[in-house]
Amino acid sequence: MKRPSRLPLPRLNVLPFLVLAAMASGVVTACASGGASFVPPSRPAQFSMTGIPWGIAGDSVQEHLEPRGYNFNKVDEDGDLWFDGMLFRTPTRVFAFMADQKLVKLRTLIITEDTSALAMYRTARAELVKQFGTPKETVEEYEAPYKKGDQKQLEAIRSGKGNVRTYWLPPASSRLTLVSVEVTDKLVVAVDYESRAWDRESVRRRQQQ
């Protein structure tokens, strides 16, 4: 079975999240890598992105995400929007990927402690099962010298020799072409929602790399 391809994770300045984890309130300014200020939200963020239309402009994306508990952070050099929140009591960043200034993809990065990455993956996966039903495929693969059940899953994933991922391929009538959750090699949990327009945009971005 051919599995959906993946783009590298956006460049992520983790420092604001590390500082945020130690702060209960206030404004935190990230100094490294030109990071933007982070204003902790006043309430927990929502997991579901249901009801956010594809093709909307940036100001409309903000109107949909802020009521869900995500604060606008910045627009990056690619024209994508960053939002910050606290999901499952964990610092979280949402990337709104734009093509021609229209929304084509949403990616949620849950910045867990390394040791909590697999537990957070299972939590996110369970929430997606509630929303989208039985997944198309759940993958847990390891390359030598690692193997399933050896208690070295995190080490394998971090080294690029472990693949822990679940994805859904919604029906043709759906507004989505792919929903997925995975543990990345940074040991954070990534949840992706992709529109049909993302296929073309992802090819364009790969060609520019």
Side-chain angles (χ1 to χ4, degrees):
M1 178 184 299
K2 183 179 180 181
R3 293 176 186 141
S5 58
R6 292 173 284 174
L7 277 179
L9 290 173
R11 293 177 292 276
L12 177 62
N13 176 20
V14 179
L15 181 59
F17 297 110
L18 298 178
V19 178
L20 178 61
M23 301 288 290
S25 62
V27 178
V28 178
T29 302
C31 299
S33 303
S37 298
F38 189 99
V39 182
S42 59
R43 61 185 177 85
Q46 299 177 23
F47 180 85
S48 175
M49 296 295 172
T50 301
I52 301 179
W54 298 123
I56 58 177
D59 55 352
S60 295
V61 175
Q62 186 171 348
E63 289 173 2
H64 280 277
L65 284 177
E66 288 191 338
R68 287 171 161 82
Y70 296 99
N71 291 328
F72 174 74
N73 184 309
K74 67 178 231 179
V75 178
D76 66 19
E77 60 270 30
D78 296 318
D80 301 327
L81 283 64
W82 298 20
F83 296 85
D84 298 327
M86 293 291 289
L87 180 62
F88 303 128
R89 299 183 179 181
T90 305
T92 299
R93 175 159 288 168
V94 173
F95 296 89
F97 289 83
M98 312 295 284
D100 297 325
Q101 300 182 8
K102 296 178 181 179
L103 179 66
V104 294
K105 175 176 178 174
L106 290 166
R107 166 171 284 170
T108 302
L109 288 186
I110 309 173
I111 317 299
T112 63
E113 295 287 343
D114 288 358
T115 55
S116 301
L118 290 172
M120 184 62 72
Y121 163 80
R122 290 189 287 268
T123 296
R125 183 185 184 281
E127 290 295 322
L128 291 170
V129 168
K130 291 178 185 177
Q131 295 180 42
F132 300 102
T134 303
K136 178 68 175 179
E137 186 177 15
T138 296
V139 179
E140 185 174 356
E141 299 174 334
Y142 302 97
E143 299 177 18
Y146 304 101
K147 60 183 179 180
K148 187 174 182 179
D150 65 2
Q151 305 304 311
K152 296 180 180 180
Q153 294 98 323
L154 296 178
E155 181 181 325
I157 295 168
R158 186 188 289 112
S159 67
K161 293 188 175 183
N163 181 14
V164 177
R165 188 174 190 240
T166 299
Y167 66 91
W168 291 255
L169 299 177
S173 58
S174 173
R175 56 186 287 272
L176 297 160
T177 58
L178 174 73
V179 177
S180 67
V181 58
E182 68 176 317
V183 182
T184 77
D185 60 3
K186 304 299 183 184
L187 299 185
V188 302
V189 175
V191 182
D192 287 338
Y193 305 85
E194 298 180 4
S195 72
R196 300 185 186 285
W198 173 248
D199 293 341
R200 181 171 60 255
E201 176 63 10
S202 65
V203 170
R204 185 189 70 81
R205 294 188 183 209
R206 286 192 181 92
Q207 291 173 342
Q208 290 184 342
Q209 290 177 357

